[in-house]
Amino acid sequence: MISASIDAKGFGPVTSARIERAMDWCRTVDPETLELGRNDIDGDDVFANVMRFDTAPADTKDYEAHRDYIDIHYVFSGVELMGIARMKDCTPKGAFDEENDFVLVEQPELESWVVTQAGEFCLTAPADAHKPGCSLDAPAPLFKACVKVRIAD
């Protein structure tokens, strides 16, 4: 997991051309021009799921994980609290959905928390189960993109 300002640079060996495309999109896109839902950046290799919703108490949200994509959770406006846990310490709630690269996992014993606000991102890799969309104090509006970056060819 990496959490930083969108202006941060110099991640060295953790960066890739696809991650750079995703980060450049976050830096340069005009959020007012975006449609909710999928926005293609580079076909199925890099795309953004743009959403507006109210955050919710953490105990009402589920942890999720992916195998084929890194998620870059980028906040345009609002504040998002996100739980992070090591996937190796998590138990899936059901079968992995290969088509949607998605599985829900049980609440882990150990978790960390990241607060992301406008202009910041949190990158979660397949090794990270994550619980996005949580409220800090009370439910509040959130406008964000979850940029999906494929890790395999």
Side-chain angles (χ1 to χ4, degrees), residues 52-69:
R52 287 183 186 269
F53 61 92
D54 285 344
T55 57
D59 63 358
T60 67
K61 306 292 278 183
D62 286 314
Y63 270 90
E64 63 185 63
H66 314 288
R67 288 184 185 155
D68 297 330
Y69 285 87

Side-chain angles (χ1 to χ4, degrees), residues 17-69:
R18 290 179 184 160
I19 290 174
E20 281 303 312
R21 276 195 293 279
M23 299 298 283
D24 285 343
W25 181 87
C26 292
R27 285 183 195 100
T28 61
V29 71
D30 178 356
E32 298 308 316
T33 66
L34 295 174
E35 293 188 25
L36 298 181
R38 181 176 168 142
N39 288 254
D40 282 337
I41 299 167
D42 187 10
D44 288 336
D45 288 340
V46 184
F47 61 92
N49 291 322
V50 177
M51 54 199 96
R52 287 183 186 269
F53 61 92
D54 285 344
T55 57
D59 63 358
T60 67
K61 306 292 278 183
D62 286 314
Y63 270 90
E64 63 185 63
H66 314 288
R67 288 184 185 155
D68 297 330
Y69 285 87

Side-chain angles (χ1 to χ4, degrees), residues 79-149:
V79 177
E80 179 177 37
L81 176 66
M82 186 180 318
I84 309 287
R86 296 180 302 194
M87 189 57 194
K88 69 179 187 174
D89 297 334
C90 295
T91 303
K93 284 187 173 186
F96 190 87
D97 181 341
E98 298 286 344
E99 183 177 336
N100 294 304
D101 188 44
F102 181 85
V103 68
L104 294 176
V105 298
E106 299 289 343
Q107 175 67 39
E109 285 187 40
L110 295 174
E111 59 192 335
S112 299
W113 293 93
V114 175
V115 175
T116 312
Q117 52 193 328
E120 296 178 343
F121 71 93
C122 179
L123 182 151
T124 56
D128 306 315
H130 49 285
K131 183 192 283 196
C134 300
S135 56
L136 198 56
D137 296 316
L142 180 66
F143 179 29
K144 72 176 273 189
C146 179
V147 184
K148 309 289 284 185
V149 179

